[in-house]
């Protein structure tokens, strides 16, 4: 089951049966002078499918800068805060849509209470995030690591519930696939707070995409997970594209393109790698369900392109454009981009 | 269940309960003058985990060149042949370990029989490969696409069995995740030929890795699949690393490194992306089970690095090296590579 409770960050609802949202995290320092560039990059992330974006907020100045950015973009922005409750209070003076903070990391109950009071006043939800890699001392060496992670999350949840604050989301992350699945299943079986799912510190691009897919697809198919982040040692755009593809593979995807393209071999008369790379952001920006086939040769190309809404395939020294299973045009390779552009615009 | 039958390609056994092997396909033309470079690249692929490597063989000259290459590398090489049985016969005169060819693609029964006779004499298995995108005319528009793919494979199998040739492997590929799972499950439930599994034309790097992981991990967990290829519109090395990570995620992996690294955020005092990228081929060449953590900051770094055999993490303006959960050394960032090299060599 998807979580019954929900949390609202700006215009985005997580949980309550709403579509699973995709998030990523800003990876560079955010200087006040860079807000134009940041806003443009956020537009690009939105086009790729990003719904909500998190920023580390290490000090009061960063809270101010993030507030300025939040005021000029429509995407809900999240402030990630460690150690200092005053930063959380400062963020709550800004148009920030969500906070990520653990009460156990803030310390004294009165400090946490100041934060929850203000968050409630402002209608801002807080995500609790527990990492298997940084558990409290007494849970650290428990044999049952998954149980320890859930227990750590429950302690944080209890600290908020004791203060009457329940506008929360929970994430429990591990760097291991099976542990990620186990902790989220265990939590979802007993509690109905919205879940933010992901594999943490998943490694470089390929291992990270494999681990996140292996962990998140089974969870999503079981209806577990209300928002997701694919953590990669790679750029934000890759995290968003991976999130989007994982949702699609789990049958929980939104409208958008499916690109079918061949791996290239010595048969290829048409450079599918270069063509795919050149067209990738344009294709991923499509908001309709479209299958586009980019194929290299006559062995598999025409067959696979037949099932696509739009297909382009090499065939000897020619390039063939397919539409809805029919050959639409036979062109020269140097015309490929221009003609593809024309055909693609029909789907935009 | 893993297949009971097996097929032997050079020194590699696929099926029969042997470990699932990883393959990729050469993506450029192979010129006779490039054999030194090709042999070096194959060594690199072997270090990453590649067990067997396929080449398109479009003509008789290519068969000769592939033979020359096969004679100088220890990795079993596979000849991928379409349309012309004489190319298959020529490959069987060379030290080529396996052939990929469909009888239905060759034509007359006597031509196929010449191939199977010679393959039997030489002890060379043949893989049948069916793609959902290029089914025979009469199966093409069947409502039950998965059933049509299995039916197409069975026709090819029957053509070989009629000639008494059963040293075969089978692949049935689709570009859709659920279809890939369905066709392989259906086949494995009724037949025990070794299965080569993969998603075909899976698209660019990230979508391709997601689709292959989503399809292959469940199959491998059910014991279906004896050899795999991750088809990507990306380089061969990426296909091999993805295959390796998929096996690991399915619990079917061999010894090797697990890299835990953080996605970097504005907190990071240490550039984990650049460090990971710099060390990646060295790390993936490790043949022992080692967990290496490459972390940026003090929030999660030391915690996660504690569970790793070797860890490096930023901490303020210092870098800390962990070994087996203990701080081993505190160093300056500019010493990171030299010290990491020293520590890593203990695991080689």
């Amino acid at each position: 089951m998807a979580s019954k409770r929900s949390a609202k960050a700006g215009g985005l609802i997580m949980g309550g049966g709403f579509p699973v949202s995709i998030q990523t995290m800003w990876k560079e320092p955010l200087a006040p002078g860079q807000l134009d560039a940041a806003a443009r990059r956020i537009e690009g992330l939105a086009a790729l499918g990003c719904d909500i974006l998190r920023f580390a907020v290490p000090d009061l100045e960063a809270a101010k800068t993030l507030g300025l950015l939040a005021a000029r973009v429509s995407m809900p922005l999240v402030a990630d805060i460690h150690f200092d409750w005053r930063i959380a209070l400062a963020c709550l003076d800004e148009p920030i849509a969500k906070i990520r903070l653990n009460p156990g990391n803030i310390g004294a109950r009165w400090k946490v209470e100041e934060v929850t009071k203000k968050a409630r006043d402002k209608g801002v939800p807080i995500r609790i995030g527990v990492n298997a890699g940084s558990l409290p001392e007494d849970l650290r060496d428990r044999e049952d690591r998954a149980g320890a992670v859930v227990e750590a999350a429950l302690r944080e949840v209890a600290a908020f519930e004791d203060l009457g604050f329940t506008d929360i989301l929970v994430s429990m992350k591990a760097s291991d696939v099976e542990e990620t699945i186990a902790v989220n299943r265990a939590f979802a079986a007993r509690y109905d707070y919205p879940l933010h799912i992901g594999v943490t510190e998943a490694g470089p691009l390929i291992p990270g995409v494999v681990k996140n897919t292996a962990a998140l697809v089974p969870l999503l198919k079981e209806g577990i997970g209300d928002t997701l982040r694919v953590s990669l040692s790679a750029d934000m755009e890759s995290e968003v594209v991976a999130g989007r593809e994982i949702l699609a593979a789990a049958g929980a995807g939104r409208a958008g393109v499916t690109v079918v393209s061949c791996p290239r071999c010595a048969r290829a008369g048409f450079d599918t790698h270069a063509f795919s790379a050149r067209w990738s952001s344009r294709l991923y920006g499509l908001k309709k369900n479209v299958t586009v086939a980019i194929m290299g040769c006559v062995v598999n190309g025409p067959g696979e392109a037949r099932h696509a809404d739009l297909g382009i395939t090499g065939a000897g020294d020619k390039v063939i454009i397919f539409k809805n299973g029919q050959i639409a045009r036979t062109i020269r390779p140097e015309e490929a981009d221009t003609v593809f552009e024309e055909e693609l615009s029909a789907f935009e």
Side-chain angles (χ1 to χ4, degrees), chain A:
Chain A
M1 67 294 74
S3 311
K4 275 160 289 178
R5 291 193 200 225
S6 63
K8 190 165 177 297
L12 179 73
I13 303 178
M14 290 163 285
F18 281 80
V20 180
S21 51
I22 297 172
Q23 48 185 288
T24 182
M25 187 168 183
W26 197 261
K27 304 195 178 202
E28 292 93 31
L30 180 69
Q34 300 167 327
L35 297 185
D36 280 339
R40 275 195 305 277
R41 189 151 181 203
I42 291 171
E43 265 177 49
L45 288 168
L48 291 173
C50 185
D51 300 297
I52 177 167
L53 178 60
R54 178 160 55 115
F55 290 77
V57 184
D59 52 40
L60 292 169
E61 200 187 355
K64 205 84 197 161
T65 309
L66 183 57
L68 292 172
L69 182 62
R72 58 198 282 175
V73 299
S74 58
M75 187 179 291
L77 304 186
V78 186
D80 190 308
I81 295 154
H82 286 266
F83 310 125
D84 189 342
W85 90 111
R86 287 166 303 193
I87 303 173
L89 296 177
C91 285
L92 288 164
D93 285 327
E94 307 291 341
I96 284 164
K98 185 178 150 198
I99 299 221
R100 181 246 179 273
L101 165 159
N102 287 358
N105 181 276
I106 293 298
R109 182 184 160 101
W110 66 267
K111 296 179 182 173
V112 178
E113 191 164 17
E114 278 197 39
V115 174
T116 55
K117 267 190 183 156
K118 194 161 179 175
R120 190 185 300 111
D121 286 351
K122 303 275 182 173
V124 170
I126 303 182
R127 170 164 71 94
I128 285 163
V130 174
N131 276 5
S134 44
L135 291 177
E137 194 82 35
D138 65 315
L139 295 174
R140 208 165 277 174
D141 296 310
R142 242 164 76 165
E143 202 57 32
D144 168 23
R145 270 187 87 180
V149 175
V150 173
E151 171 66 26
L154 290 177
R155 288 183 190 172
E156 302 287 353
V157 169
F160 277 149
E161 286 177 341
D162 283 352
L163 297 166
F165 186 80
T166 57
D167 191 9
I168 56 186
L169 300 96
V170 174
S171 69
M172 292 153 299
K173 298 191 181 181
S175 59
D176 177 78
V177 169
E178 296 303 327
E179 195 175 349
T180 303
I181 294 174
V183 296
N184 284 289
R185 272 190 190 145
F187 190 94
R190 293 171 57 196
Y191 307 95
D192 61 0
Y193 285 111
L195 279 173
H196 164 126
I197 57 175
V199 176
T200 190
E201 290 111 27
L205 184 64
I206 295 174
V209 173
V210 168
K211 285 187 216 172
N212 274 283
T213 306
L216 302 192
V217 169
L219 287 171
L220 292 164
K221 282 187 168 177
E222 294 170 28
I224 298 172
D226 302 290
T227 181
L228 67 80
R229 177 191 177 200
V230 178
S231 293
L232 300 172
S233 296
D235 61 15
M236 293 188 289
E237 288 74 11
S238 296
E239 294 192 355
V240 172
V241 170
R244 180 176 160 150
E245 295 293 324
I246 286 170
L247 284 179
R254 279 160 289 177
V257 76
T258 300
V259 178
V260 171
S261 71
C262 76
R264 202 174 72 195
C265 66
R267 283 191 296 267
F270 173 61
D271 187 350
T272 55
H273 291 207
F275 192 87
S276 296
R278 212 156 51 232
W279 284 90
S280 113
S281 21
R282 178 77 175 279
L283 288 170
Y284 286 108
L286 292 175
K287 291 281 173 272
K288 291 188 194 166
N289 276 322
V290 184
T291 297
V292 177
I294 301 172
M295 308 296 293
C297 83
V298 288
V299 171
N300 297 315
E304 197 61 51
R306 265 172 43 89
H307 293 280
D309 299 297
L310 177 61
I312 183 165
T313 181
D317 58 355
K318 298 285 180 202
V319 166
I320 296 174
I321 299 276
F322 288 81
K323 283 196 287 188
N324 308 315
Q326 305 292 331
I327 294 181
R329 302 168 70 168
T330 301
I331 57 175
R332 284 171 293 122
E334 58 273 28
E335 297 174 288
D337 285 287
T338 318
V339 174
F340 192 72
E341 161 82 49
E342 282 170 39
E343 300 296 347
L344 193 63
S345 61
F347 294 99
E348 284 175 322

